[in-house]
Amino acid sequence: MNRKTLLLPAAAGLLTTALTGCGSSDGSGSDGAAVVVGITDHIEATPSAPAPLDPAQAYDTPSWTVMHNAFQTLMRLPRSGTEPVPDAAQSCGFQDKQSEQYRCTLRPGLKFSNGHDLTAADVKFSLDRVRNINFKNGPASLLSGIDKVETPSERVVVIHLTAPDATFPSKLTTPATAILDSEVYQGKGLYKGFETVGSGPYSMEPEVKDNRLVKAVFTRNKNYQGTLEPKSDKVEIRFFDDSEALEEALSDGEVGVVPKGLNADQIERLQAGEVKGIRISGSAGQAIRYLGFNTDAPVVRDKVVRQAIAHVVDRQALVRDAYKRTADALYSMVPTGTTAHINSFYNKYGEPSIPAARRLLQHAGVQTPVKLTLAYSSDHYGQATTKEFTSLRDQLNGSGLFQADIKRVKWTSFRPAAADGKYAVYGMGWSPDFPDPDNYVAPFVGKKNFLNSPYHNSTIEDQLIPATRQKAQRSLAARDFQRIQDLIAEDVPLLPLWQGKEYVAYRDGVTGTEYIRDSSSMLQLWELGRGASA
């Protein structure tokens, strides 16, 4: 999610309304009813962000979850694996050795859910539109490498890049590149509200209350042309207030699948088999949590202060106390399981050491205790976030080197305030746009970065990232990515904290849960089906 400010599987609690009714009594969609998915995500239209399901605005995991199932892209990720495959395209590929010209031929007979024809002109319109609207905190940065888009015929699209970019096919799998109907969407204005018109495997009907999405009903799109075969004609996503309401709905049979939103205590209880008829599976995740620093803020402008924080923070204690080990300590912005990962922060700072932090600050002449405020949002990242930041505060204050406070802020205020530089230190999460180490570093440095951070490193921006993008065989870029990780550990514009694990709870009779996420953690609702109850 990116992108995307992730919502983590072990951290629940958002602001939407729980629903009852629709769907079968066991949540599994028997007798032709919907397979019901329950989550605690939050999708809201606000004056500053009025179009949460518009590809030009949306850049968060919850919105992308909905869009991923309702829109079609030129490329998509396969059921499992990381190599993009054609979606709306019949074929795609670079036309030059420099990876600067990308050509796609569309499938014949493509149509949108409203029956309108989908042509190369709609693809060009959609890609140009995201870049032209250039919504603040939106996904336009993913397409910043496009120079121009041409349409030699109704089924052919040629995308010219400003520089080589071997990751470009992966970027075309993201909802930022969703193909829109140019007869419905405006070229320079956002499509406000929650309606969608796409060509994906499902069409989506929203149910809204107080400008929040409370239910999304996905119905098989009869006009869909592609290789996906939905296992159910109808799937619903229902949004719950908190993890307690979500677990109750799962236990009562109102919900059949919970792919995220349960807290650590609930996961522990379900793993112990305390709730009859419910199973839970876990796997390594690629979503991460980190601290962001406004490197222009006086209190953390000196990187020595940021390095001292890196010496003090005890990640193992954090995941033990706040998340009951439903997450793993993380020592790089590139998570484990991703090509080129190395433990750069551990290599530089080792185990938590107050004496090492004290020596660093004393040598630099920094007066202690350093006063800090750690800002965070629990309504977006879940109830356990308060425990996490309380623990971080106590670790820093326990060193005697810092005088830290914590500040909880509602997400709708937190995100724009962080981007405007209002917080010196703040907590953020990241779920990958696509499964490549590039997506864990490039969005956070340079001009128009995701955080609007003032941090710049010319070696990373002008040398290393461009070099990695010239290597189509991604393993050959590992050395450059490892150097990037070391430079981030040296400068500490970001401090990685932990890497989430992914859990799926489901009722007997629901099938396809093993494929519910692709390699970028996006939900694949079309994989869910109904089978005989165990």
Side-chain angles (χ1 to χ4, degrees), residues 352-366:
S353 173
I354 294 171
R358 181 179 294 111
R359 287 193 299 270
L360 199 63
L361 293 170
Q362 287 177 344
H363 186 265
V366 176

Side-chain angles (χ1 to χ4, degrees), residues 108-432:
L110 289 173
K111 291 182 180 294
F112 292 102
S113 58
N114 60 8
H116 293 176
D117 290 338
L118 189 163
T119 69
D122 294 298
V123 176
K124 173 179 168 57
F125 167 82
S126 303
L127 297 177
D128 288 345
R129 179 177 179 272
V130 172
R131 296 157 59 223
N132 291 336
I133 291 176
N134 195 24
F135 186 80
K136 184 179 181 181
N137 302 328
S141 59
L142 281 172
L143 307 184
S144 61
I146 295 177
D147 179 28
K148 62 180 178 179
V149 182
E150 296 178 327
T151 54
S153 72
E154 284 196 348
R155 288 181 53 207
V156 175
V157 180
V158 181
I159 305 168
H160 299 268
L161 305 179
T162 58
D165 185 2
T167 72
F168 189 69
S170 295
K171 292 174 180 175
L172 289 178
T173 70
T174 70
T177 66
I179 303 171
L180 306 179
D181 185 346
S182 57
E183 296 182 55
V184 173
Y185 289 79
Q186 298 179 15
K188 296 183 178 179
L190 292 172
Y191 195 65
K192 298 178 182 179
F194 299 87
E195 301 292 335
T196 61
V197 178
S199 59
Y202 289 110
S203 57
M204 192 278 294
E205 183 70 26
E207 185 172 315
V208 179
K209 182 177 180 181
D210 297 330
N211 289 322
R212 293 173 185 163
L213 188 64
V214 294
K215 181 167 68 173
V217 180
F218 295 86
T219 303
R220 185 191 292 262
N221 175 14
K222 67 181 187 306
N223 291 321
Y224 171 69
Q225 296 290 327
T227 59
L228 299 174
E229 182 58 42
K231 304 302 186 295
S232 294
D233 289 339
K234 183 177 288 188
V235 180
E236 293 179 6
I237 295 181
R238 301 184 188 179
F239 302 85
F240 289 82
D241 285 335
D242 51 46
S243 58
E244 287 74 23
L246 180 57
E247 184 185 11
E248 182 178 355
L250 178 65
S251 299
D252 291 347
E254 177 190 339
V255 162
V257 187
V258 175
K260 53 184 176 178
L262 297 173
N263 63 39
D265 290 330
Q266 293 169 314
I267 290 169
E268 187 176 61
R269 185 164 57 252
L270 291 173
Q271 285 179 321
E274 294 184 17
V275 183
K276 186 179 179 181
I278 296 174
R279 305 181 185 188
I280 188 165
S281 61
S283 61
Q286 296 301 299
I288 67 172
R289 179 70 63 84
Y290 61 96
L291 290 179
F293 294 94
N294 175 2
T295 55
D296 276 352
V299 68
V300 293
R301 182 181 296 146
D302 190 337
K303 76 175 181 181
V304 168
V305 175
R306 307 193 299 270
Q307 291 174 331
I309 294 173
H311 270 300
V312 170
V313 168
D314 187 341
R315 296 167 176 81
Q316 296 291 350
L318 200 63
V319 298
R320 179 193 66 220
D321 298 340
Y323 294 100
K324 291 193 172 183
R325 304 196 185 283
T326 56
D328 293 318
L330 181 62
Y331 298 92
S332 171
M333 289 297 289
V334 177
T336 58
T338 301
T339 301
H341 163 83
I342 56 172
N343 290 319
S344 294
F345 276 81
Y346 189 87
N347 294 342
K348 181 168 180 61
Y349 301 101
E351 296 293 337
S353 173
I354 294 171
R358 181 179 294 111
R359 287 193 299 270
L360 199 63
L361 293 170
Q362 287 177 344
H363 186 265
V366 176
Q367 278 193 320
T368 57
V370 178
K371 293 184 178 181
L372 293 172
T373 298
L374 311 180
Y376 72 96
S377 175
S378 65
D379 68 326
H380 189 72
Y381 291 121
Q383 296 159 318
T385 314
T386 297
K387 287 184 180 179
E388 176 185 356
F389 274 77
T390 299
S391 180
L392 285 170
R393 178 198 64 193
D394 293 347
Q395 288 181 18
L396 293 172
N397 291 346
S399 72
L401 302 174
F402 297 92
Q403 185 179 328
D405 293 319
I406 56 177
K407 181 179 182 180
R408 183 170 62 182
V409 185
K410 186 179 178 182
W411 177 252
T412 51
S413 300
F414 175 87
R415 180 67 183 103
D420 288 341
K422 300 292 179 63
Y423 309 129
V425 189
Y426 53 97
M428 292 289 286
W430 184 256
S431 187

Side-chain angles (χ1 to χ4, degrees), residues 47-78:
S48 60
L53 298 179
D54 187 324
Q57 176 191 305
Y59 202 22
D60 61 275
T61 299
S63 295
W64 275 28
T65 294
V66 173
M67 293 161 59
H68 184 60
N69 292 275
F71 289 108
Q72 202 171 17
T73 48
L74 287 172
M75 303 289 284
R76 65 174 178 85
L77 293 172

